[in-house]
Amino acid sequence: MSRASAGPEIEKLIQLLARLPGLGPRSARRAALHLIKKRAQLLEPLTQAMRMALERVTVCSTCGNIDTANPCAICTDPRRDPSVIIVVEDVADLWALERAAVMNARYHVLGGVLSALDGVGPEDLNIAGLADRVATKQAEEAKVKEILLALSGTIEGQTTAHYVSDMLEGSGVTVSRLAHGVPVGGELDYLDEGTLAQAVKARTPV
Amino acid sequence: MSRASAGPEIEKLIQLLARLPGLGPRSARRAALHLIKKRAQLLEPLTQAMRMALERVTVCSTCGNIDTANPCAICTDPRRDPSVIIVVEDVADLWALERAAVMNARYHVLGGVLSALDGVGPEDLNIAGLADRVATKQAEEAKVKEILLALSGTIEGQTTAHYVSDMLEGSGVTVSRLAHGVPVGGELDYLDEGTLAQAVKARTPV
């Protein structure tokens, strides 16, 4: 009974928009209509920004970050401490840490976490690249002193953290991980027992 | 404290994506990252589809629908009944009625509803165009017999319906409106009293 409501070109646009995370078939239709209505204010600049991303955005061959430069702006920033490398699963995690702006260090993006279920092994992740960065004292990269494993608290994240930390044993670098505890602004009775237990064990004097 | 996490070009892409309905700042970041990762499968075809929309999509000068042709595919479809025009507020409503596929008629998109609060008067809507379509018997448009006002049940929608129906008085066309009642699959105790009252008054024999 149902038929394509818009022409084939607009239907194609809707179908592609629906594949963005956060948009479903219904909101993709709204988004397409919004784009067509806001031609000069949104459709034109967004098409332009996407064309730019298509032409210029690459993956940094040092750390795995995405940027329009390779090596990326973080890897070449002279104000960053080159002796600390924060290991993250994904570029989204790198962005989250940058927004927190808590450490002026460099990064290493693994591109995923180890998962037996999904068939992700060490060779599928950018782990060898991390070992290289720690081992070789490149002219532009000073000796690495600390590796901070900023990985998720999931089983896969923690498995990956163990694997990386085992691999780095004997390399002379300090390996650290993020603290577990109560989220800032979080309510106690919504927290799981594991987090609460960790927060109690790691309690700090006031 | 917070700093731009990605480069300026990627930040620009995120900001523009965040202006799509249904995406906020956080989901726009996820969407941008997804686009960059799915370069060949999503970023390329979506950029292409948006460029096409930019170059080819126009507003139909007869009915106000959007399409790559003018007059649009609905206005030129010979299998459609030209004697019935369904009046809608927006192209999204036209799409919704097309998906319901209940009537093989033509449309007229007003581009909004009358609203004293938002300062929308009859001259801001495509109402004159509707009067023209009813009055002139164009060679390609047979005489209009019925105008179905498919407008929202809101105060603004009903005000607009009254205005259009007053304007068409004496033109010889039948003016109808959508039935009020219980939505299909809707539960009675979630319905407002106004809808229930209308549904009782307009009860039909089983």
Side-chain angles (χ1 to χ4, degrees), chain B residues 26-150:
Chain B
R26 190 173 286 260
S27 48
R29 266 198 300 272
R30 279 206 302 145
L33 207 50
H34 191 76
L35 278 170
I36 289 167
K37 283 180 187 168
K38 305 271 175 189
R39 192 190 157 79
Q41 306 99 299
L42 190 53
L43 180 55
E44 264 179 23
L46 185 55
T47 308
Q48 184 55 34
M50 283 169 59
R51 201 180 309 176
M52 182 285 313
L54 210 46
E55 284 164 6
R56 297 194 43 210
V57 170
T58 50
V59 174
C60 173
S61 53
T62 303
C63 74
N65 186 18
I66 53 167
D67 199 0
T68 48
N70 182 13
C72 74
I74 291 178
C75 282
T76 54
D77 185 349
R79 290 160 304 176
R80 300 236 171 199
D81 180 359
S83 70
V84 181
I85 294 178
I86 307 179
V87 176
V88 291
E89 175 182 342
D90 198 272
V91 175
D93 301 331
L94 184 158
W95 289 355
L97 284 162
E98 282 294 288
R99 284 196 303 279
V102 70
M103 257 193 132
N104 220 10
R106 302 224 166 134
Y107 290 91
H108 194 84
V109 181
L110 294 179
V113 280
L114 297 175
S115 167
L117 263 177
D118 298 331
V120 180
E123 66 285 354
D124 300 313
L125 305 178
N126 187 16
I127 289 181
L130 179 63
D132 283 351
R133 287 178 76 181
V134 172
T136 59
K137 289 181 217 166
Q138 291 159 326
E140 69 270 31
E141 193 150 26
K143 188 152 178 65
V144 177
K145 294 198 189 95
E146 180 181 350
I147 299 282
L148 167 53
L149 300 171

Side-chain angles (χ1 to χ4, degrees), chain A residues 72-90:
Chain A
C72 74
I74 292 179
C75 281
T76 54
D77 185 349
R79 291 159 304 176
R80 301 237 170 197
D81 180 0
S83 70
V84 181
I85 295 178
I86 307 179
V87 175
V88 291
E89 175 182 341
D90 197 273

Side-chain angles (χ1 to χ4, degrees), chain A residues 11-164:
Chain A
E11 280 295 328
K12 178 88 188 158
L13 177 63
I14 294 171
Q15 276 168 25
L16 288 164
L17 284 170
R19 284 166 55 192
L20 287 177
L23 288 183
R26 191 172 285 262
S27 49
R29 267 198 300 272
R30 278 206 303 142
L33 206 51
H34 191 76
L35 277 170
I36 290 167
K37 282 180 187 167
K38 304 271 174 188
R39 192 190 156 80
Q41 306 99 300
L42 190 54
L43 180 56
E44 263 179 24
L46 184 55
T47 308
Q48 184 55 35
M50 283 169 59
R51 200 179 310 178
M52 181 287 311
L54 209 47
E55 283 164 7
R56 297 193 44 207
V57 170
T58 49
V59 174
C60 174
S61 52
T62 304
C63 75
N65 186 17
I66 55 167
D67 198 0
T68 48
N70 181 15
C72 74
I74 292 179
C75 281
T76 54
D77 185 349
R79 291 159 304 176
R80 301 237 170 197
D81 180 0
S83 70
V84 181
I85 295 178
I86 307 179
V87 175
V88 291
E89 175 182 341
D90 197 273
V91 175
D93 302 330
L94 184 159
W95 288 356
L97 284 161
E98 281 294 288
R99 284 196 302 280
V102 70
M103 258 192 131
N104 220 10
R106 302 223 166 133
Y107 291 91
H108 193 83
V109 181
L110 294 179
V113 280
L114 297 175
S115 167
L117 264 176
D118 298 331
V120 180
E123 66 285 355
D124 300 312
L125 304 178
N126 187 15
I127 289 181
L130 179 64
D132 283 352
R133 287 178 76 182
V134 172
T136 59
K137 289 181 217 166
Q138 292 159 325
E140 69 270 28
E141 193 149 29
K143 190 155 177 62
V144 177
K145 294 199 189 95
E146 182 181 349
I147 299 282
L148 168 51
L149 301 170
L151 297 166
S152 298
T154 57
I155 293 183
E156 286 85 3
Q158 294 308 299
T159 307
T160 311
H162 276 294
Y163 183 89
V164 173

Side-chain angles (χ1 to χ4, degrees), chain B residues 120-179:
Chain B
V120 180
E123 66 285 354
D124 300 313
L125 305 178
N126 187 16
I127 289 181
L130 179 63
D132 283 351
R133 287 178 76 181
V134 172
T136 59
K137 289 181 217 166
Q138 291 159 326
E140 69 270 31
E141 193 150 26
K143 188 152 178 65
V144 177
K145 294 198 189 95
E146 180 181 350
I147 299 282
L148 167 53
L149 300 171
L151 298 166
S152 299
T154 57
I155 293 182
E156 287 85 3
Q158 294 309 301
T159 307
T160 312
H162 276 293
Y163 183 91
V164 173
S165 122
D166 282 356
M167 182 193 76
L168 293 172
E169 226 174 55
S171 66
V173 297
T174 309
V175 180
S176 54
R177 63 162 180 77
L178 294 181

